Amino acid sequence: MNSISAPLPVPVDSSPMELPMVQGCVRAGFPSPAEDFGVTRFDLAKSLIQHPATTFVMPLRGDSMIGAGLYDGDWLVVDKVLRPQHDDIVIAELDGDFTCKRLYQRNGTFMLRPENPTYPDIRPREGQTIEIWGVVTSSVRRYRKW
């Protein structure tokens, strides 16, 4: 029988790290006229994490989620307390290994779907247990090494 279960959350330490944040925005289209920008403090963790005690950061390896804008080397912010829903990007434990996929759960059909057409959907086999470990809530990507 196939099953989905939610593991117990494991507390993690969360400490604030405020960075200077320019008020206003930068345009990705046409440049905007120069403005006098004010500066406030911005806590990246606070803006990305709703439940600090149940949230983890996991590095992503592989290219099966490039269609979702997730690339090898990205850091995934994963909340274990959120109830996984259809179309969420999730971390699932499958045969002892973690995988990041989009959750498809409709009309009694359950599968994990990659966001890269070169990978097959993962449909649970009879007797196999797939555990949804957490829901990916955001990602962080570095564009330049130190």
Side-chain angles (χ1 to χ4, degrees), residues 25-104:
C25 60
V26 61
R27 296 178 190 266
F30 295 104
S32 65
E35 298 177 29
D36 289 331
F37 290 107
V39 176
T40 61
R41 303 300 291 178
F42 176 76
D43 186 336
L44 183 61
K46 187 183 272 185
S47 72
L48 297 179
I49 298 171
Q50 181 182 11
H51 306 108
T54 59
T55 299
F56 294 79
V57 175
M58 302 178 77
L60 179 67
R61 295 290 175 253
D63 62 357
S64 72
M65 295 300 288
I66 58 175
L70 299 175
Y71 294 89
D72 186 77
D74 287 357
W75 292 310
L76 305 178
V77 179
V78 182
D79 192 331
K80 292 182 70 171
V81 79
L82 295 177
R83 184 177 182 87
Q85 299 176 353
H86 172 73
D87 215 32
D88 277 344
I89 296 173
V90 298
I91 302 298
E93 186 174 355
L94 174 66
D95 298 330
D97 290 326
F98 286 121
T99 187
C100 177
K101 299 289 181 283
R102 190 170 299 276
L103 176 63
Y104 181 91

Side-chain angles (χ1 to χ4, degrees), residues 108-125:
T109 300
F110 165 83
M111 70 179 98
L112 299 172
R113 305 189 88 170
E115 293 277 344
N116 182 334
T118 62
Y119 289 86
D121 293 340
I122 298 173
R123 300 170 192 266
R125 298 182 308 267

